[in-house]
Amino acid sequence: MSFVESEERRALREAVAELGAKYGPDYYIAKARSGEKTHELWNEAGALGYLGVNVPEEYGGGGGGIGDLAAVCEELAAAGCPLLLMVVSPAICATIIARSGTREQKEHWLPRFADGSVKMAFAITEPDAGSNAHRITTHARRDGDGWVLRGQKTFISGVDEADAVLFVARSADQQGNLRPSLFIVPTDAPGFTWTPIEMEIVSPEKQFVCHLDDVHLPYEALVGDEDGGLLQLFAGLNPERIMAAAMGAGIGRLALAKAVSYARERQVFKVPIGAHQGLAHPLAAAKVELELARLMGQKAAWLYDSGDDLGAGEAANMAKYAAAEAAIHCVDQAIQTHGGNGLTTEYGVGMLAGVVRLMRIAPVSREMILNYIAQHSLGLPKSY
C-alpha cells in the first residue's frame, strides 16, 4: 500500500472536483430546501462514468475498486454536493450484485449502475431491531416458484427516487433455520408502500419507513445463493462504511476550507483573525484529525479492494468512526471561526452541523463501532 495515491486516482479526483465546482453548495442547498432532487448532477456524473468507476469493465464500468468510488464521493462532498445515494446505490447495491448476483442480475443491473441510469436503495434497519441484524423480522417465504415478503423497515434513504430497493429479509433453509437473504424489490411492486420521516436535516435525499404487505416476487429476485447469508450482506456493509468515511472527510474539507478562507479575510483589530492562535491552532488540530481519518479510509478501501474482507471490516469501522469525529470537529470549529456568521444562511456552515452529527449515528453508531473494535481488535469479552 502506498501513502500516495496513483496518478489515475489523483486525475479522477481532479475531474470530479471540477464537476462538483460546476454545481457547488448553492445548487445543492437550493435543491434541498425546495424539496427537489439533484438529478442533474447525478445524471452528469453517471454519463461521465464517475458513478460506475467500481463496476467491472465487462458491464460498462470503470473496472476500479471501492477506493475509486470513495474518491468520487469525497470530492463531490468537498465541493458542497454530498450525494447520500452514492453510499447506497453504487457502493452497497452494485457491489453486492457484482460479487454475489447471478449472471442475469449482473447483466440487467450493472450496466445501469455504471452509467447512473438506475438508483437502488438498501433496506436493513428495522424499528425493533436497531443495529442487531439477528433480530430482523422481515420475512421471506417460498410461494411456488417465487417469494412472498412481509415486514417493515425504517430510516431507508432515497426510496422515492429509487427504481428498486435491496431488502434484507430472513428466509428458512432446508432445515428450517432462518438466515439473512437479499431480495430486489421494485418500488412499484404491489404491496410495497413507504411513508416519509420528517427530518431536521437539510438534504435532497429523504428518509422513509417501508412496508412490505405480502409482496410477491419471482424467484430471481433473490440475490445470489439462498445460503449465502451474512457473507453476501457484509460484502456491501464494508463499502458502506468506507463511503460514509469518504463523505465525512469531504464535508470536513468543505467546512475547513470555508473556515480558513474566512479567517484569512475577516479582520479585527487591524489583522486577520487567522493570525490569532486561539483560532489558528484549533483549525490546525482539525486538519490533523481530518488527514488521519482520510488515511484510515484509504487503508480500508485498499484492504477491501485487495480481497481482505476481515481486515477491511476493522479498518472500515475505524475509518467511519474517525471521519465522523473529524468532520464534527471541522464543522464545529468552522462555525466558531465565523462567529455569528457561522449560523447564517449566507455562509452555509451552520447547516452542515446536523449532517455531520448524524454521522455518529448512521450507518452504524459510534458505540457499535467501539463494541466491534473492543471485541475483534482488542480481544475483550463481548459486551452485548
Side-chain angles (χ1 to χ4, degrees), residues 173-195:
D173 60 20
Q174 294 180 352
Q175 287 74 41
N177 300 313
L178 293 176
R179 73 277 197 258
S181 299
L182 298 161
F183 297 88
I184 299 173
V185 181
T187 48
D188 60 359
F192 176 24
T193 58
W194 58 90
T195 306

Side-chain angles (χ1 to χ4, degrees), residues 166-177:
L166 184 60
F167 273 89
V168 181
R170 304 190 75 183
S171 59
D173 60 20
Q174 294 180 352
Q175 287 74 41
N177 300 313

